[in-house]
Each structure stands twice: as structure tokens, then as C-alpha cells.
């Protein structure tokens, strides 16, 4: 049988060349963009109107598309993401349900899943196109293929040329809580208001790249998107009492903001804590208004790959400027009163913290605003703007309480770090999310971990710490990180936590912080505002660190193996002197040190046949089998004469030699981190590199030579849990007894039907007595 090239058992150090794409003039073997690297550019002019009464949206856009590729294009692909919500979309038709036939969970489905299935039947979803035309308004033929549309050009678009596409469209915004997704509206019954988080809302140019041609896979579920960079000029018309938050710089504040709001914004730029642009009282007053007129908010954004916005009359708004290196931005939060006072305290602070940390590990945030909006979406990112969900507890009757759980507090800070962090990966380092979830989620979750850890001590991070990933690493039903976004099993662990943990291990344990940080920043710098593929990351990290990491990428990214290194044995030696007098004495001592057998012990003092019969004794009774003879001594001396002086010296060596036997039970090769304890109380840390497994990936033996007066008493593998070793019970030699708790339990007695009936009657009588 041919060896499986992916099997770690065959060769975990096999180079990746046969798995990675061949380098080209567009992407080099070093992992940087090639000298002929190109990407398309798509600039947008959009006018959109929000119909608050019908929760629908209608827009007109002109896309200016520049063909920088060396290829002639006869058609263009455009993404219509809202078609995902159509009843007949591929995404909806491929949806499966998991209703058990037997057992405790038989015939059950959770209400959310059922509500979504039901709503999908009735929601009038999908994009309605009223015009697809060229720049002169001449209609162009088009074909809609699920969430993609092919527009056939009147004449091929030659390399270096550009063309304009004009599209008019309309769609019904969906209720996010009912249908899910990464955008939608939330309805507030108390004040009869809507809050809109609007994203993936306009026809967007699909990507055409050197690596994949047209990236025109349909929008199914997990694979988000990849888009072209471009400049945006977007006019958003909403009810006059709405506040709009969007990707980009507001260019007409005079027309949409009050004098007071503009002054507060100005003050916020240099403030050292967030300044309210709209206060709680103002937001509560706004909630009650019902404007009949509209206002148009105009935003411009440069060099972004997408555009999203939010709109509501419910928004409080706070802002604080942040300057650092090349960053000069305004961190802003928009949230309804339902989010106070949790959001006042943490949202904008978390944005600023995120930018500071991500700047340090990648590049300076280049955009003029960085926004966090509270609404129905739990957590989602777009350029400059993110949607984040957590809110405090609110008593429905009197609007009081306003406490929050630990989980909500850290959930909010965490999700803001995560979503704002996405500005760097993949909004600027523009990986293909529809193909590779780990390239944005995994890399982002890694930097998020660094940001969490520098927010406060003992921050409850989920991703990053090796010990948190071990449960997943040994679980069933895994696929490699290098799997297409839709094929991933155990999504969060596979695409977020595992790559984040792998990168943290690479940083802390394989490369060290200096080498890793240099290489990681190099990757970010090389690929900002460009489109990296997995190989560009793998290659850059090796190119910049100077360390062959093929084994690491192979093990962590291309397999589902886990780390489980066992210390199986420690063997102790001293050098055999070959001197018959010394060695025979040593052997005699060994024999004497053996425990007495039970028979010998019981036979002690027993009378023997030879007692009082000296004639039955001879030479062998006086000399034991360990006696050195003169012949042995002569041979020894002759042998010594044949040796070189250094060889004779070696025979006198009195070090203690230890052979440490390790086995690799998980398959994933890793360095062996050792803590050695000696009888003099001292400890030593020693790292055997991953390369120790290069010839035999399942069993290795390492030799330690130590002075005679330092006796090894204990060996611990990975004492600080740095490698995600899934079974630490085999990490000690000698093995240790692990204390644990035994839970005692008692079966609960169920009430019988008569008891329940009697209790209900009693309760009803008491209720009456009170009234
Ligand atoms: Zn994410």
C-alpha cells in the first residue's frame, strides 16, 4: 500500500511543496506578493432609501470596475447575498434537521430552529432587480445563479480597461432574531421602534483573482465573503429622526447633525474618555418622535472592501478619539437604551484597547472611524463598523435591574475586541472567508487573545491557552483546519480556537515571541490591502522566522492528530570500567541488593545435608561466581593497551547516564519540554526540539549525562501545559497519583400523581385566602 502523504505516521516532516500551490509571478515562494501581483478594483456610488414603515430597502448603484488582471473578461460576477434568505436558496434547501428517533431527546426540535424554518416559508426574501445596465444605461443580459449573478458584457473587458455597471434593486429586510444571519432589524415593542443593522445589502462585485479566477461560490452559511477593495460614496436616506452609523466618514454633518452634536463630536476627538454625542435622555426623547420627512446621510470610505450601516431613532451615541503612530481615528458606539449602562462603560473603551493592541502586532489602523453598534446581531464585522449583541438584564415592567452577569460583561468586551479586530483580518488583510474560515477567524482570534490578556490580569479568554483546546483535540468528528468553510465540523473549535491556540503555541513555545512577532507582522504588512492565500501565510512565517515549520503546518493545519507525548521509561547507567575487580564487585553488590526470596527467608537456619561434612566443599564454595581471576586481569590489561588514551579516559568516566524513552501517542509531533528534578533539590528545564521525531515519529530515546552527585528523581513532560498535550497522566516519570473528587449522589424520589394533585389544590386555596 502506498504511504498516505498526509499520514503523520509516514513522515510528519515531509515538506509541504506538493500540497502548496506552485509559486507564480503573482505570489512568490517566499510568501510575499509577486512582482506582477494584481487585484481588481471596484468603486461604488450608491443611493439607498430605508422604508421604515415596511422595513424594506431600495437602492441604485454604479460600480466602476477596473480590470487590472492580465485576462480578458467577457462577463462579470456580482454577489446578491440577500438571495440566501429566499425559500428556494441553496442554503435553505441544503439545511438538515437533527431530530432523534429514540431516547430522551426523541421527537424534539428547539423553538429557534422551528421558528426559522417556519419564517423561511413566509418571508418575502431575495433581491428584486429592476435594472442591470452598463454606464450608459443600456440594459445588460444577466443570469442569477442562487446568490450570484453573471452579467454578460456587451464587449469583453480587456486587461487595463474599466467599465461601469448600474444596478437598481430592492429587498425586504428580515427580522434578525427570527431568521438569523449577519444583519437584519430588531423590533422594540415598548416604544414601537425598529433598529436596523444593514449589511450585505447591495450588489457587490465578486472577486476575480490570480489564485481562483472568479470567486463565485454561493453564499451558504459559514463561508462569509471575499470582496474587492474600492472607494465608496454612499447616500443613505432614512426618516429624519433616525441616526445613521456607517462605514466611512460622514461628509454632510451640517445637514444631518445638530450644532450641539457637531460640537460634542469635535470635543470627543481629543477627549480622554468617551463623550456623549446623544445622551440617554435625548435618545429616550428621540424614541417618541415620528418624523414624516426624510434626511440623507452621505458617507465616503476609501480603500475598503465592503460597506455596512445601522439606523434607528433609538441610538445613544458616544465617541472618543484615538491617535497612535499612523492611526488617527474616532472610536464610536451606537446603542439603544436597552444596552445602558453596560455599553456606556465598556464599548468605546474596548474599541480603543483593540486598536492599540492590533496596531502593535500588525499595522496601524488606517481608517477615520471605528464603530461598535448594539442591535440584534450577536457579533459581526464590516469595515470600520461592527455589530455586537450583549446587553444587561432589564426588568420588563419598570425598566430597572440593569445588572449583568460575568459572562455578559466579558462576552461584550470579548466580542467587541473580536469584531473590531476583524478590521485587520480580513477587512484589510483580505483573505477569502468563503474558502478558508481560519484565515480570518483563527488569525483574528489569536490577536484577540493577546488583546484580552492585556485588558486585565486573569481575563477569561476562551481561545489561545493550550489547555483549553485539549478536549476538542481528542474529540471525535474532526476535520483538519485546512477544510473549506462549509465542510467544517465543530466550527468554533476548528476555525477559531484551534488555529488561535496553534499560533499561540508557535509564538510561546516554537519560535519565541521575538521571532514570531517579527514574522507575523511581516505577514500583515505584506498582505494588507491585498489578498493572501493560506500558502502565503505559511511561507511568510517560515521566510521571516528562518525556521522550517512545514511539520507544524502539516500537523496542526492539515491533520486531526493531537499531542500526547508520554515518558515511558527512564533507564539509569554508569560506565562499565571493564576492570574485572571493580565490575565483579559491582555485580556482587547488585546480586546482594536483590530482595531475599521467600523460600530463602523461610529456609534460613534450616539444617542442610552438608552441615558438618567439610569433605563436600571445594574451590567453588570459597569463591563465588563474581570472583575476578588473574586471567581476567591479564586480559583487561591487554585490552587497555590496545585502546587510545582518550578511550581509556572514557572507561574511567563516572557520570550518570540516563536514557529517557518517549512515545508519541497522539501523532502530532511537538518539542518535548522537560522539567528534571534532582536529589539535591535542584530543577532543570530542557527542550528537545520537535525535530527529535524526524526519523521515528512514534518512539524516541534521548540520552542525558549528568554528574554522579546529581541523581535524577523525577522527569515531567510539558510541566507548564504549553503543547496542548491531551493526556497529562503519562507526563510524569515515575507516574503520579492524581487526586480527584468522588461525587456521591442519591436518586430523587418523584412525586406521584395524587401528591401533585393535592399540592395544586392546596396552592389554589392559599391564593384565594390572600386575595
Ligand atoms: Zn469573527
Amino acid at each position: 500500500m502506498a504511504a498516505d502523504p498526509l499520514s503523520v505516521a509516514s513522515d510528519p516532516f515531509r515538506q509541504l511543496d506538493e500540497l502548496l500551490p506552485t509559486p507564480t509571478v503573482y505570489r512568490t515562494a517566499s510568501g510575499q506578493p509577486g512582482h506582477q501581483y494584481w487585484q481588481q478594483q471596484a468603486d461604488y456610488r450608491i443611493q439607498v432609501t430605508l422604508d421604515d414603515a415596511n422595513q424594506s430597502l431600495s437602492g441604485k448603484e454604479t460600480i466602476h470596475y477596473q480590470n487590472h488582471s492580465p485576462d480578458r473578461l467577457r462577463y462579470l460576477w456580482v454577489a446578491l447575498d440577500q438571495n440566501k434568505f429566499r425559500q428556494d436558496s441553496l442554503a435553505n434547501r441544503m439545511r438538515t434537521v437533527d431530530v432523534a428517533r429514540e431516547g430522551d431527546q426523541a421527537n424534539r426540535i428547539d423553538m429557534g430552529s422551528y421558528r426559522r424554518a417556519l419564517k423561511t416559508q413566509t418571508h418575502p426574501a431575495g433581491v428584486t432587480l429592476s435594472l442591470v445596465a452598463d454606464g450608459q444605461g443600456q440594459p445588460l443580459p444577466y443570469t442569477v445563479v442562487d446568490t450570484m449573478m453573471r452579467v454578460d458584457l456587451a464587449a469583453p473587458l480587456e486587461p487595463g480597461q474599466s467599465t461601469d455597471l448600474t444596478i437598481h434593486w430592492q429587498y425586504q429586510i428580515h427580522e434578525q432574531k427570527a431568521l438569523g444571519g449577519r444583519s437584519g432589524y430588531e423590533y422594540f415593542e415598548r416604544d414601537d421602534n425598529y433598529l436596523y443593522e444593514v449589511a450585505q445589502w447591495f450588489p457587490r462585485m465578486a472577486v476575480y483573482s490570480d489564485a481562483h479566477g472568479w470567486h463565485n461560490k454561493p453564499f451558504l452559511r459559514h463561508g462569509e465573503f471575499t470582496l474587492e477593495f474600492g472607494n465608496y460614496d454612499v447616500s443613505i436616506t432614512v426618516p429624519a429622526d433616525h441616526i445613521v452609523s456607517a462605514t466611512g466618514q460622514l461628509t454632510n454633518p451640517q445637514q444631518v447633525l445638530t450644532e450641539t452634536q457637531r460640537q460634542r463630536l469635535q470635543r470627543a476627538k481629543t477627549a480622554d474618555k468617551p463623550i456623549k454625542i446623544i445622551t440617554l435622555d435625548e435618545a429616550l426623547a428621540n424614541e417618541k418622535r415620528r418624523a414624516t420627512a426624510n434626511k440623507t446621510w452621505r458617507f465616503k470610505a476609501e480603500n475598503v472592501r465592503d460597506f455596512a450601516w445601522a439606523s434607528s431613532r433609538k441610538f445613544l451615541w458616544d465617541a472618543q478619539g484615538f491617535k497612535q503612530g499612523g492611526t488617527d481615528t474616532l472610536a464610536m458606539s451606537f446603542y439603544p437604551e436597552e444596552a445602558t449602562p453596560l455599553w456606556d462603560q465598556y464599548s468605546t473603551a474596548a474599541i480603543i484597547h483593540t486598536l492599540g493592541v492590533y496596531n502593535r502586532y500588525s499595522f496601524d489602523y488606517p481608517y477615520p472611524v471605528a464603530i461598535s453598534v448594539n442591535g440584534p446581531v450577536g457579533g459581526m464585522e464590516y469595515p470600520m463598523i461592527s455589530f455586537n449583541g450583549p446587553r444587561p438584564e432589564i426588568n420588563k415592567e419598570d425598566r430597572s435591574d440593569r445588572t449583568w452577569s460575568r459572562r455578559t460583561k466579558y462576552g461584550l468586551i470579548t466580542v467587541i475586541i473580536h469584531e473590531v479586530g476583524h478590521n485587520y483580518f480580513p477587512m484589510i488583510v483580505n483573505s477569502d472567508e468563503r474558502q478558508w474560515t481560519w484565515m480570518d477567524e483563527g488569525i483574528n482570534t489569536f490577536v484577540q487573545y493577546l488583546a484580552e490578556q492585556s485588558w486585565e490580569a486573569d481575563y477569561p479568554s476562551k481561545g489561545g491557552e493550550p489547555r483549553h483546546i485539549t478536549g476538542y483535540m481528542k474529540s471525535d468528528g474532526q476535520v483538519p483546519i485546512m477544510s473549506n468553510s462549509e465542510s467544517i465540523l465543530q466550527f468554533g473549535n476548528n476555525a477559531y480556537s484551534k488555529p488561535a491556540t496553534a499560533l499561540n503555541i508557535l509564538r510561546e513555545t516554537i519560535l519565541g515571541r521575538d521571532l514570531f512577532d517579527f514574522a507575523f507582522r511581516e505577514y500583515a504588512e505584506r498582505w494588507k490591502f491585498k489578498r493572501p492565500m493560506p500558502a502565503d501565510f505559511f511561507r511568510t512565517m517560515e521566510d521571516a522566522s528562518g525556521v522550517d515549520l512545514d511539520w507544524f503546518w502539516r500537523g496542526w493545519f492539515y491533520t486531526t492528530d493531537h499531542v500526547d507525548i508520554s515518558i515511558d521509561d527512564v533507564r539509569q547507567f554508569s560506565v562499565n570500567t571493564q576492570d574485572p575487580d571493580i565490575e565483579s564487585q559491582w555485580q556482587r553488590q547488585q546480586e546482594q541488593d536483590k530482595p531475599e526470596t521467600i523460600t530463602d527467608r523461610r529456609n534460613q537456619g534450616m539444617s542442610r545435608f552438608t552441615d558438618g561434612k567439610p569433605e563436600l566443599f571445594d574451590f567453588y564454595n570459597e569463591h563465588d561466581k563474581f570472583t575476578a581471576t588473574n586471567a581476567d586481569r591479564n586480559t583487561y590489561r591487554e585490552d587497555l593497551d590496545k585502546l587510545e588514551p582518550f578511550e581509556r579516559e572514557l572507561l574511567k568516566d563516572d557520570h550518570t547516564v540516563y536514557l529517557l524513552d518517549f512515545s508519541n501517542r497522539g501523532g502530532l509531533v511537538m518539542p518535548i519540554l522537560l522539567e528534571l528534578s534532582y536529589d539535591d533539590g535542584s530543577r532543570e528545564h530542557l527542550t528537545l526540539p520537535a525535530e527529535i521525531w524526524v526519523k521515528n515519529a512514534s518512539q524516541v530515546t534521548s540520552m542525558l549525562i549528568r554528574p554522579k552527585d546529581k541523581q535524577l528523581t523525577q522527569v515531567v513532560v510539558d510541566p507548564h501545559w504549553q503543547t496542548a498535550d491531551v493526556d497529562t497522566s503519562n507526563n510524569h516519570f515515575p507516574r503520579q497519583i492524581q487526586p480527584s473528587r468522588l461525587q456521591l449522589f442519591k436518586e430523587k424520589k418523584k412525586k406521584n400523581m395524587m401528591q401533585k394533585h393535592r399540592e395544586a389544590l392546596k396552592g389554589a386555596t392559599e391564593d384565594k385566602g390572600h386575595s
Side-chain angles (χ1 to χ4, degrees):
M1 201 177 78
D4 174 0
L6 285 182
S7 160
V8 158
S10 73
D11 177 9
F13 292 86
R14 192 179 175 90
Q15 296 291 287
L16 287 179
D17 296 56
E18 62 213 357
L19 290 176
L20 302 184
T22 306
T24 64
V25 292
Y26 312 119
R27 301 169 188 271
T28 69
S30 70
Q32 61 179 321
H35 68 281
Q36 289 187 46
Y37 178 84
W38 55 267
Q39 65 191 14
Q40 310 292 66
Q41 165 123 356
D43 300 323
Y44 294 80
R45 262 186 300 117
I46 311 178
Q47 291 163 313
V48 63
T49 302
L50 171 68
D51 180 346
D52 188 35
N54 296 303
Q55 302 88 51
S56 69
L57 207 115
S58 56
K60 299 174 178 181
E61 73 179 6
T62 299
I63 308 170
H64 182 65
Y65 185 70
Q66 297 173 51
N67 182 12
H68 294 152
S69 83
D71 310 324
R72 158 190 288 205
L73 303 175
R74 299 205 312 121
Y75 45 79
L76 306 178
W77 283 93
V78 176
L80 305 174
D81 282 8
Q82 291 296 326
N83 278 359
K84 173 181 181 288
F85 295 100
R86 285 172 60 112
Q87 200 181 325
D88 63 354
S89 70
L90 190 48
N92 276 330
R93 286 180 295 126
M94 73 184 272
R95 205 175 274 278
T96 57
V97 289
D98 195 7
V99 176
R101 287 172 167 276
E102 299 162 288
D104 292 353
Q105 299 300 314
N107 304 336
R108 286 161 62 94
I109 186 169
D110 81 87
M111 284 190 165
S113 303
Y114 187 67
R115 182 186 187 200
R116 177 194 298 234
L118 197 62
K119 284 271 181 180
T120 301
Q121 312 283 323
T122 52
H123 178 69
V127 181
T128 306
L129 297 160
S130 49
L131 180 71
V132 177
D134 64 13
Q136 284 71 51
Q138 286 300 313
L140 294 169
Y142 63 88
T143 305
V144 174
V145 183
D146 202 55
T147 65
M148 287 284 169
M149 166 171 72
R150 193 191 73 234
V151 180
D152 300 333
L153 298 173
L157 183 62
E158 300 291 340
Q161 285 190 351
S162 59
T163 190
D164 285 357
L165 275 186
T166 295
I167 303 174
H168 295 183
W169 78 99
Q170 186 274 335
Y171 76 90
Q172 196 70 35
I173 302 173
H174 71 273
E175 184 181 0
Q176 199 279 339
K177 294 287 180 210
L179 278 176
R182 297 165 174 87
S183 62
Y185 70 76
E186 177 176 5
Y187 176 65
F188 295 80
E189 209 173 346
R190 175 183 61 82
D191 48 304
D192 185 29
N193 270 306
Y194 290 85
L195 188 159
Y196 300 89
E197 290 180 326
V198 185
Q200 297 150 257
W201 55 283
F202 59 100
R204 303 180 294 179
M205 285 305 306
V207 165
Y208 185 72
S209 80
D210 62 284
H212 289 296
W214 283 105
H215 295 226
N216 51 6
K217 284 185 192 304
F219 182 23
L220 298 177
R221 186 171 180 191
H222 292 300
E224 295 180 312
F225 8 85
T226 190
L227 298 156
E228 304 287 10
F229 285 102
N231 302 321
Y232 285 70
D233 180 350
V234 182
S235 297
I236 303 171
T237 301
V238 296
D241 45 12
H242 269 220
I243 295 294
V244 178
S245 170
T247 301
Q249 189 99 54
L250 178 65
T251 63
N252 63 338
Q254 259 78 5
Q255 287 158 310
V256 292
L257 300 180
T258 65
E259 175 66 30
T260 312
Q261 288 166 347
R262 294 202 303 271
Q263 280 170 4
R264 289 170 179 172
L265 261 180
Q266 196 56 39
R267 256 198 306 130
K269 283 181 187 169
T270 52
D272 57 4
K273 54 169 95 71
I275 299 283
K276 286 275 178 346
I277 314 305
I278 297 178
T279 65
L280 175 60
D281 288 343
E282 290 161 354
L284 290 172
N286 286 348
E287 275 184 0
K288 301 195 178 79
R289 295 166 63 190
R290 289 292 178 273
T292 48
N294 281 335
K295 263 187 192 170
T296 298
W297 298 57
R298 190 168 176 192
F299 294 89
K300 283 191 179 168
E302 278 172 25
N303 219 5
V304 287
R305 59 167 233 171
D306 199 1
F307 189 104
W309 51 284
S311 184
S312 182
R313 56 174 69 84
K314 288 179 66 68
F315 283 138
L316 280 83
W317 177 3
D318 72 41
Q320 183 185 344
F322 177 68
K323 278 192 192 187
Q324 184 194 68
T327 298
D328 183 358
T329 196
L330 203 51
M332 302 197 283
S333 300
F334 295 78
Y335 44 98
E337 74 86 22
E338 284 77 0
T340 62
L342 176 65
W343 271 62
D344 311 60
Q345 192 168 351
Y346 289 117
S347 177
T348 296
I351 298 172
I352 287 174
H353 173 67
T354 305
L355 299 179
V357 174
Y358 277 69
N359 277 6
R360 186 152 78 240
Y361 292 105
S362 50
F363 45 80
D364 288 343
Y365 183 74
Y367 296 132
V369 296
I371 299 167
S372 164
V373 178
N374 179 255
V377 177
M380 186 58 202
E381 72 281 6
Y382 297 96
M384 302 185 219
I385 187 169
S386 60
F387 303 154
N388 302 300
R391 284 177 190 158
E393 304 296 330
I394 298 178
N395 183 329
K396 274 205 172 125
E397 266 94 72
D398 64 358
R399 317 296 298 161
S400 67
D401 192 341
R402 307 278 168 167
T403 59
W404 48 82
S405 63
R406 171 179 294 273
R407 185 191 156 104
T408 299
K409 171 188 168 177
Y410 290 104
L412 177 66
I413 299 169
T414 298
V415 74
I416 292 177
I417 292 173
H418 181 90
E419 308 308 345
V420 172
H422 269 312
N423 274 294
Y424 299 77
F425 310 95
M427 296 301 147
I428 295 172
V429 177
N430 186 12
S431 60
D432 183 348
E433 301 169 81
R434 192 150 295 172
Q435 193 73 257
W436 306 113
T437 299
W438 72 267
M439 283 196 79
D440 61 299
E441 299 300 355
I443 288 176
N444 182 42
T445 302
F446 162 68
V447 192
Q448 172 198 336
Y449 170 74
L450 301 177
E452 288 168 358
Q453 291 303 309
S454 67
W455 172 272
E456 67 186 31
D458 302 321
Y459 191 98
S461 291
K462 283 189 190 147
E465 264 302 334
R467 73 181 67 170
H468 294 160
I469 198 71
T470 54
Y472 166 71
M473 294 297 281
K474 64 184 172 191
S475 68
D476 294 329
Q478 288 186 56
V479 292
I481 292 175
M482 281 294 290
S483 298
N484 172 263
S485 303
E486 302 303 334
S487 305
I488 294 171
L489 304 174
Q490 304 196 61
F491 197 74
N493 279 319
N494 175 292
Y496 292 65
S497 303
K498 182 178 171 184
T501 308
L503 293 180
N504 191 38
I505 291 173
L506 190 57
R507 179 172 189 255
E508 297 283 29
T509 301
I510 313 292
L511 294 179
R513 291 185 173 192
D514 289 347
L515 265 191
F516 179 93
D517 291 353
F518 176 82
F520 186 79
R521 199 178 299 111
E522 179 69 12
Y523 166 72
E525 279 290 344
R526 284 179 174 186
W527 290 97
K528 68 180 180 184
F529 298 112
K530 294 195 173 70
R531 175 170 291 105
M533 296 294 160
D536 301 318
F537 179 70
F538 298 148
R539 284 170 165 153
T540 294
M541 293 302 289
E542 295 196 11
D543 188 64
S545 70
V547 177
D548 178 359
L549 297 172
D550 280 25
W551 63 270
F552 187 85
W553 308 131
R554 183 182 285 279
W556 282 91
F557 288 75
Y558 286 89
T559 79
T560 57
D561 292 329
H562 60 257
V563 180
D564 182 10
I565 294 172
S566 165
I567 170 106
D568 295 331
D569 200 4
V570 175
R571 293 176 274 162
Q572 181 184 326
F573 300 89
S574 46
V575 170
N576 185 323
T577 61
Q578 299 183 16
D579 180 332
D581 286 303
I582 297 174
E583 294 307 316
S584 57
Q585 177 53 35
W586 191 87
Q587 286 170 4
R588 183 179 293 118
Q589 189 62 48
Q590 292 297 108
E591 187 65 25
Q592 286 169 359
D593 288 347
K594 286 180 182 165
E596 191 182 26
T597 73
I598 190 68
T599 304
D600 283 346
R601 183 192 293 182
R602 288 174 180 166
N603 286 352
Q604 256 178 33
M606 180 175 83
S607 67
R608 318 268 180 157
F609 180 71
T610 53
D611 291 351
K613 296 187 181 90
E615 68 276 15
L616 293 182
F617 289 91
D618 71 354
F619 178 85
Y620 292 106
N621 295 93
E622 274 157 51
H623 301 280
D624 68 13
K625 63 179 176 179
F626 301 111
T627 305
T629 66
N630 281 335
D632 293 335
R633 292 181 187 110
N634 289 339
T635 310
Y636 167 60
R637 252 175 261 128
E638 283 162 23
D639 287 349
L640 275 189
D641 287 344
K642 287 181 212 151
L643 294 180
E644 301 287 335
F646 79 88
E647 291 170 326
R648 281 196 289 271
E649 278 303 306
L650 287 179
L651 294 180
K652 288 190 223 154
D653 184 69
D654 67 348
H655 281 90
T656 307
V657 177
Y658 298 99
L659 297 188
L660 278 55
D661 297 320
F662 301 99
S663 60
N664 172 2
R665 301 185 178 186
L668 191 44
V669 292
M670 284 295 271
I672 305 173
L673 312 176
L674 293 175
E675 184 183 81
L676 308 168
S677 300
Y678 296 96
D679 60 351
D680 61 3
S682 64
R683 274 188 193 170
E684 180 189 352
H685 284 92
L686 187 69
T687 298
L688 306 174
E691 284 79 357
I692 197 170
W693 303 102
V694 74
K695 292 282 172 55
N696 183 338
S698 52
Q699 267 183 330
V700 292
T701 298
S702 181
M703 182 161 69
L704 295 178
I705 302 173
R706 292 294 178 270
K708 199 178 193 162
D709 56 1
K710 270 180 104 67
Q711 289 287 316
L712 191 56
T713 54
Q714 191 182 47
V715 178
V716 185
V717 173
D718 194 8
H720 300 289
W721 294 4
Q722 289 170 253
T723 63
D725 191 319
V726 305
D727 180 5
T728 51
S729 72
N730 56 29
N731 288 18
H732 288 78
F733 195 91
R735 293 283 183 260
Q736 283 202 324
I737 296 175
Q738 297 290 343
S740 188
R741 286 290 212 222
L742 190 63
Q743 286 302 344
L744 307 182
F745 72 94
K746 190 175 169 180
E747 294 282 4
K748 278 206 183 96
K749 199 165 178 278
K750 281 187 183 156
K751 287 191 171 125
N752 69 35
M753 203 184 208
M754 284 173 70
Q755 288 170 326
K756 287 189 214 164
H757 184 66
R758 192 179 295 160
E759 268 174 28
L761 281 179
K762 200 172 151 216
T765 333
E766 276 170 8
D767 280 352
K768 265 184 204 156
H770 286 300
S771 61

